[in-house]
Amino acid sequence: MKKNNKKFINKETFIQAIGDAFKKLNPLYMLKNPVMFVVEIGFIISLVLSVFPSLFGDISKDTNLRVYNIMVSFILFITVLFANFAESIAEGRGKAQAESLKKTQKDTTARLLMPDNTEKKIFSTELKKGDIVMVSVGEIIPGDGEVIEGIASVDESAITGESAPVVRESGGDFCSVTGGTTVVSDWLKIRITSDPGNSFLDKMISLVEGASRKKTPNEIALNTLLVSLTIIFMIVIVTLYPIGIYSGVTLKISTLIALTVCLIPTTIGGLLSAIGIAGMDRVTRFNVIAMSGKAVEACGDVDTMILDKTGTITFGNRLADDFFTVGYADKSDLIRCAALASLHDFTPEGKSTLELARKLGDTSVEVEGAEYIEFTAQTRMSGVDLPDGTKIRKGASDSIEKYILSLGGKVPADLSDEVDRIASLGGTPLTVCENDKVLGVIYLKDTVKPGMAERFERLRSIGIKTIMCTGDNPLTAATIAKEAGVDGFVAECKPEDKIEVIKKEQAEGKIVAMTGDGTNDAPALAQANVGLAMNSGTTAAKEAANMVDLDSDPTKILEVVEIGKQLLITRGSLTTFSISNDIAKYFAIIPAMFMNAIPQLAVLNIMGLASPNSAIISALIFNAIIIPCLIPLAMRGVKYRPMSSGRLLARNMMIYGLGGVITPFIAIKIIDIIINPLLKVLGIF
């Protein structure tokens, strides 16, 4: 997996973000963020009052009202600028990554295969979906496609960051290729599966640039809450003006604006968009293409995870581990027949069986005139018919039993016990027979990947149920499930069974995630709330999913879910911190506004702020500078720790709730100490 060790921000991105922050001051753009739009309107009003102090009936006796208004205006301007800067930083990181991706998009020459089998050289940008191209060693694959003929090693480092070439071949689940990668051996005939501008790389560039990012449902809901809070605070603050007059206090318009800006959720309002963009950025840097922000957000809400056994939970290559005889068979006969049946079996199982037989001393070689029988899904057997009439078969136990009975033979009484014993160990039994006699069983062993049990326990601790789907028999499935530590399993699973499992979980109101790479996985990937397709898989799988893993690592779904959780946790934590900040601002500004008319309110000045104007300016400055201080946290995300939702809530309330209460008390007091001498010099003490 590619590791991302890039700096949080470089000089070029920083400079670009400053420029973009000023560009975003356009009121039409600011309307997209209602909370910060209110701050910008407040800035404009304060700026006007700086020139015309009594324009809105502000008849304060303060002779330095203009200077005070200028200070409020400047701080409000900085607040809006900081919020825009946070969003620009997030976008800038995406744009920088997009530029590096664009370098892989070379306008290469494609060898288009014409109907008469002649080749025509055209630019890759001229290729259309359905075109067939030839790519040989050293050439760049001109576009996304599927291999329809040939087998070759492909260097995908330009896309995935992995230096080791991968094998791509026609048929199966490893036929998909990505434009911009390089063929390093042999040749491929490829059918293009995307039009120019619609490749996965194009989608990836568009997403990381932020051009196609849409607000997610949770983000929209939170934005609605922030707008509602803003409206409520504005109504409350508007009523303070007549209350002040009744109390004998003439409240400055700039002070009311300052109070509004301090109390509305400006911190999370300024960072909300940046958090969403950064979440997409983290997924993309993890070599996963998310088709929408909604897909990333859904990862954080996952309740159930559907996982294939082979290649995800286990290594996938079932290798021969031992031979066990049944009845009165001789082990040397079992090894000899297993080797003969495997001479033309080029699967990992066949190769490992032959290799194990050789280690045990077998020297069987091909017999001239022998007819080799390939494995089929219907017969579930393979083998060889020798010229002397001997028929050797190996395959699933039930298939061999039927075959033996059809020849008039007898099934040894201990065969089922041996098969069950191997299955209970998590192995796969292959039964071997010679003519009408069963010789024994080959023990094929699949191994659970290291650390899987711990990872599933981590998921369980946060309330995510894991279900393993496998084509193995129930005994084998149960053994692997127990060793891996999954919560449930579906044995002898067919594609339609996966869909049924997903629908059943969704009917209970759960969010379901699954991985897949084959055409037969496409319906289930489309049905799941989070479908992660392997980039090495078929086009059908990738089109059905809402996420594509460029590294083609099935276990990555575990980390993708954690990234989604981190996005939601970050948003929730910073919202909690933002709202908690208001408590200190109340103690800073409310006493400052009414203390002259109601001296008893001085008891609320628990921070001991020097003067009313100093208190208001200090609170306003804190409200502005807290936004850039939280940008690194918004970009990197709150560190994710697997735990129950109850513990997570308690932890975040302790850190970000209590921290959000205490931090501004300390910060506002420090700011007051620093700026009070300056205010004295300016005469607005």
Side-chain angles (χ1 to χ4, degrees):
M1 186 187 307
K2 182 175 73 172
K3 301 296 181 183
N4 180 1
N5 297 318
K6 293 184 178 179
K7 294 180 180 178
F8 163 65
I9 183 174
N10 56 38
K11 181 179 179 181
E12 292 76 14
T13 302
F14 183 83
I15 295 173
Q16 181 67 40
I18 293 176
D20 289 343
F22 279 95
K23 293 176 184 177
K24 292 178 186 292
L25 291 172
N26 184 339
L28 294 177
Y29 183 87
M30 293 299 298
L31 272 170
K32 298 178 182 178
N33 189 339
V35 175
M36 298 315 299
F37 179 71
V38 169
V39 180
E40 185 172 51
I41 294 299
F43 155 68
I44 294 172
I45 295 174
S46 297
L47 186 63
V48 172
L49 289 173
S50 299
V51 182
F52 307 104
S54 60
L55 182 63
F56 297 111
D58 198 338
I59 54 176
S60 172
K61 304 296 184 181
D62 191 341
T63 56
N64 290 291
L65 182 59
R66 180 175 280 110
V67 177
Y68 174 77
N69 289 343
I70 290 173
M71 290 191 70
V72 171
S73 301
F74 176 75
I75 298 171
L76 293 181
F77 175 74
I78 293 297
T79 303
V80 177
L81 206 61
F82 282 158
N84 290 346
F85 179 73
E87 185 177 30
S88 298
I89 283 290
E91 292 176 347
R93 280 162 58 89
K95 288 176 181 177
Q97 188 182 4
E99 287 302 316
S100 66
L101 290 171
K102 285 178 181 178
K103 292 177 183 178
T104 68
Q105 283 191 313
K106 301 173 183 177
D107 192 9
T108 57
T109 301
R111 293 159 52 198
L112 178 64
L113 198 62
M114 307 302 290
D116 59 358
N117 285 329
T118 59
E119 293 182 5
K120 178 183 177 182
K121 289 189 177 182
I122 62 173
F123 287 114
S124 58
T125 52
E126 300 176 54
L127 289 172
K128 302 183 297 297
K129 187 176 181 179
D131 285 344
I132 296 176
V133 298
M134 294 294 297
V135 187
S136 300
V137 59
E139 294 180 339
I140 295 174
I141 296 174
D144 291 354
E146 286 188 338
V147 179
I148 58 176
E149 190 176 332
I151 179 170
S153 295
V154 178
D155 179 4
E156 296 185 342
S157 59
I159 306 296
T160 67
E162 291 289 345
S163 58
V166 294
V167 175
R168 295 289 176 259
E169 58 185 320
S170 59
D173 296 335
F174 295 94
C175 62
S176 182
V177 292
T178 306
T181 57
T182 306
V183 174
V184 294
S185 74
D186 303 295
W187 58 271
L188 296 172
K189 183 187 287 187
I190 300 168
R191 180 186 291 113
I192 300 299
T193 56
S194 64
D195 290 317
N198 292 317
S199 68
F200 282 102
L201 190 57
D202 290 314
K203 292 176 183 177
M204 191 174 184
I205 291 171
S206 177
L207 286 166
V208 298
E209 284 182 321
S212 60
R213 194 188 88 89
K214 296 180 181 179
K215 289 185 178 180
T216 61
N218 282 351
E219 193 174 345
I220 292 172
L222 180 55
N223 199 55
T224 302
L225 173 63
L226 299 183
V227 171
S228 301
L229 290 174
T230 299
I231 293 172
I232 292 171
F233 279 125
M234 289 179 67
I235 292 172
V236 170
I237 289 165
V238 166
T239 63
L240 286 179
Y241 191 79
I243 292 174
I245 293 176
Y246 178 79
S247 303
V249 178
T250 302
L251 298 175
K252 296 189 279 288
I253 299 298
S254 293
T255 297
L256 290 174
I257 292 172
L259 179 60
T260 302
V261 171
C262 283
L263 297 187
I264 65 176
T266 50
T267 304
I268 187 62
L271 295 172
L272 184 59
S273 181
I275 293 170
I277 295 172
M280 290 286 290
D281 179 65
R282 282 195 295 276
V283 170
T284 307
R285 289 170 184 267
F286 204 56
N287 270 359
V288 172
I289 301 175
M291 300 308 175
S292 67
K294 184 178 179 180
V296 180
E297 192 173 80
C299 290
D301 290 324
V302 165
D303 301 299
T304 303
M305 193 177 297
I306 310 295
L307 297 158
D308 279 328
K309 185 204 78 170
T310 306
T312 303
I313 295 174
T314 65
F315 284 109
N317 290 333
R318 297 174 300 172
L319 307 179
D321 187 69
D322 206 346
F323 298 101
F324 297 101
T325 59
V326 295
Y328 299 100
D330 186 88
K331 190 168 185 177
S332 62
D333 289 335
L334 170 61
I335 295 172
R336 174 181 56 81
C337 289
L340 286 169
S342 302
L343 287 172
H344 273 238
D345 183 354
F346 302 114
T347 63
E349 294 92 337
K351 291 178 180 178
S352 66
T353 298
L354 187 59
E355 183 180 348
L356 180 60
R358 297 284 190 249
K359 287 181 180 178
L360 296 175
D362 179 76
T363 57
S364 300
V365 295
E366 291 188 31
V367 179
E368 186 176 350
E371 182 182 352
Y372 291 92
I373 312 300
E374 292 186 2
F375 176 89
T376 66
Q378 288 74 32
T379 64
R380 299 171 69 203
M381 293 187 301
S382 63
V384 59
D385 291 344
L386 300 177
D388 62 4
T390 301
K391 298 179 182 294
I392 299 172
R393 297 291 185 270
K394 68 171 183 177
S397 178
D398 56 344
S399 297
I400 295 294
E401 287 180 17
K402 291 178 182 178
Y403 176 75
I404 289 293
L405 293 174
S406 70
L407 296 177
K410 292 184 178 181
V411 178
D414 57 344
L415 176 61
S416 61
D417 293 337
E418 197 65 48
V419 168
D420 290 346
R421 185 180 69 82
I422 292 174
S424 67
L425 294 173
T428 300
L430 279 184
T431 303
V432 180
C433 70
E434 183 177 23
N435 295 322
D436 62 352
K437 180 183 178 183
V438 177
L439 300 176
V441 182
I442 305 172
Y443 175 22
L444 298 179
K445 187 177 181 181
D446 196 1
T447 306
V448 173
K449 293 180 178 179
M452 294 304 294
E454 291 77 9
R455 298 173 81 177
F456 289 137
E457 178 59 36
R458 195 169 65 189
L459 291 173
R460 192 176 297 108
S461 68
I462 57 175
I464 295 179
K465 180 170 71 173
T466 51
I467 299 176
M468 179 187 78
C469 292
T470 175
D472 290 335
N473 63 63
L475 279 175
T476 301
T479 302
I480 293 292
K482 182 179 180 180
E483 184 179 349
V486 294
D487 299 305
F489 66 90
V490 180
E492 297 176 345
C493 184
K494 299 182 290 293
E496 53 268 28
D497 295 331
K498 293 181 182 179
I499 298 177
E500 287 304 313
V501 173
I502 294 171
K503 287 183 177 179
K504 181 181 177 182
E505 293 293 318
Q506 290 174 331
E508 297 175 3
K510 296 178 180 178
I511 304 298
V512 182
M514 77 158 288
T515 62
D517 57 5
T519 299
N520 61 351
D521 291 325
L525 287 169
Q527 180 66 38
N529 302 91
V530 178
L532 179 66
M534 303 298 101
N535 191 44
S536 61
T538 63
T539 300
K542 291 192 284 187
E543 289 179 348
N546 51 21
M547 287 185 164
V548 177
D549 174 23
L550 295 176
D551 292 328
S552 300
D553 177 6
T555 64
K556 193 181 285 188
I557 187 68
L558 303 173
E559 282 78 9
V560 170
V561 166
E562 291 187 351
I563 291 176
K565 291 281 185 187
Q566 185 185 38
L567 170 63
L568 297 182
I569 291 169
T570 300
R571 190 182 292 153
S573 299
L574 292 185
T575 300
T576 302
F577 184 86
S578 176
I579 294 175
S580 300
N581 280 181
D582 284 352
I583 296 175
K585 297 170 190 174
Y586 279 121
F587 281 98
I589 297 180
I590 297 298
M593 295 172 66
F594 294 98
M595 205 157 43
N596 290 336
I598 311 174
Q600 291 86 347
L601 287 178
V603 70
L604 297 179
N605 184 20
I606 60 177
M607 286 178 277
L609 303 180
S611 70
N613 285 341
S614 175
I616 293 167
I617 295 297
S618 297
L620 207 55
I621 290 175
F622 170 79
N623 195 66
I625 64 175
I626 195 64
I627 294 176
C629 289
L630 292 175
I631 288 177
L633 184 60
M635 295 297 101
R636 294 193 177 101
V638 174
K639 188 174 181 180
Y640 171 75
R641 290 180 174 85
M643 60 182 70
S644 66
S645 56
R647 287 183 58 200
L648 183 63
L649 177 62
R651 179 178 181 275
N652 282 352
M653 289 300 295
M654 178 64 67
I655 296 176
Y656 297 98
L658 186 60
V661 172
I662 296 174
T663 301
F665 276 100
I666 299 172
I668 290 173
K669 177 61 179 177
I670 293 173
I671 294 171
D672 177 74
I673 294 172
I674 294 172
I675 68 166
N676 187 49
L678 174 62
L679 296 181
K680 285 183 178 180
V681 172
L682 295 174
I684 55 173
F685 181 75

